[in-house]
Amino acid sequence: CLGTHFQFRYPGYNVVSIIPKDPIRFPGRVKGLSLWAQGRGKAYELEAWIKDYTGYVHTIKFGSLNYVGWKPLKARIPEFIPQSIESYPQTKTLVLERLVLRASPNENTEDVYFFFDQIKVLTESFEVNFDGRDLDKMFNGSESSQPQQSTTQPK
C-alpha cells in the first residue's frame, strides 16, 4: 500500500507527482493498468506517465478520485503506443515514470491524503521464438558458442 500526504499554499492547478525510486518496467506488451485507490472526496484526477522505448512519455488517465472509500480504477493502454519493433526480439518494454495527482483549480489546499494498493498490469508476454535467436553470441566469444571437441580416443 502506498500513501501520500500533502498540502498546498495556494489554490489553483496544483499537481503532485509520485516518482518511483527505481524505474518500474512492465513485462511484455501492456494492454492495461489497474489499481485500488482510496478517495477522500477531493476533486483530484489520477494519471500515470508511461515512457515507451523511443523515450516518449504518454499520459494515461485513470480518472477522478472525487469519491469516498476504496475503488478499483482501470486504464487501457492505447494501441498507438509503440511496444514492439520488426526485428527480434520484438517486444520493447514500457516504463512507469510516475503517478500524478492533478487538483481541480477550485479544490481547497488543506491537508490531503490518498492511498493506493494492488497496482496490476494486464500484459501479453508471449514472444515468438525463432531459429538463430542466440546466433549473435558467436561474436561474444562465449564458451557455449565454441565448437565442442570430441573427447573419445581412437583405438
Side-chain angles (χ1 to χ4, degrees), residues 33-84:
L33 302 173
S34 70
L35 56 80
W36 280 84
Q38 185 187 46
R40 297 271 177 123
K42 305 284 186 189
Y44 281 81
E45 298 281 325
L46 176 64
E47 56 191 48
W49 289 15
I50 307 293
K51 183 165 66 172
D52 65 30
Y53 76 93
T54 67
Y56 187 81
V57 177
H58 305 269
T59 302
I60 307 298
K61 297 189 182 287
F62 280 100
S64 174
L65 294 171
N66 194 2
Y67 56 87
V68 177
W70 287 95
K71 180 178 173 183
L73 299 176
K74 297 176 184 177
R76 190 180 70 69
I77 302 299
E79 291 186 21
F80 65 80
I81 295 178
Q83 297 187 57
S84 64

Side-chain angles (χ1 to χ4, degrees), residues 2-56:
L2 169 69
T4 184
H5 168 233
F6 56 89
Q7 72 181 76
F8 295 108
R9 186 172 300 230
Y10 304 106
Y13 291 98
N14 294 311
V15 173
V16 171
S17 293
I18 302 167
I19 303 171
K21 180 182 171 188
D22 295 320
I24 299 174
R25 298 187 179 281
F26 297 136
R29 292 183 178 106
V30 181
K31 303 295 183 185
L33 302 173
S34 70
L35 56 80
W36 280 84
Q38 185 187 46
R40 297 271 177 123
K42 305 284 186 189
Y44 281 81
E45 298 281 325
L46 176 64
E47 56 191 48
W49 289 15
I50 307 293
K51 183 165 66 172
D52 65 30
Y53 76 93
T54 67
Y56 187 81

Side-chain angles (χ1 to χ4, degrees), residues 67-126:
Y67 56 87
V68 177
W70 287 95
K71 180 178 173 183
L73 299 176
K74 297 176 184 177
R76 190 180 70 69
I77 302 299
E79 291 186 21
F80 65 80
I81 295 178
Q83 297 187 57
S84 64
I85 57 175
E86 293 299 318
S87 63
Y88 290 95
Q90 288 182 311
T91 302
K92 298 292 183 182
T93 58
L94 296 180
V95 177
L96 175 65
E97 287 287 306
R98 64 184 65 194
L99 293 174
V100 176
L101 295 164
R102 198 172 295 280
S104 169
N106 299 327
E107 183 59 51
N108 61 32
T109 59
E110 64 187 35
D111 284 344
V112 179
Y113 296 87
F114 283 110
F115 295 92
F116 306 99
D117 199 6
Q118 296 184 18
I119 297 175
K120 296 179 183 178
V121 179
L122 175 62
T123 183
E124 176 187 316
S125 58
F126 175 76

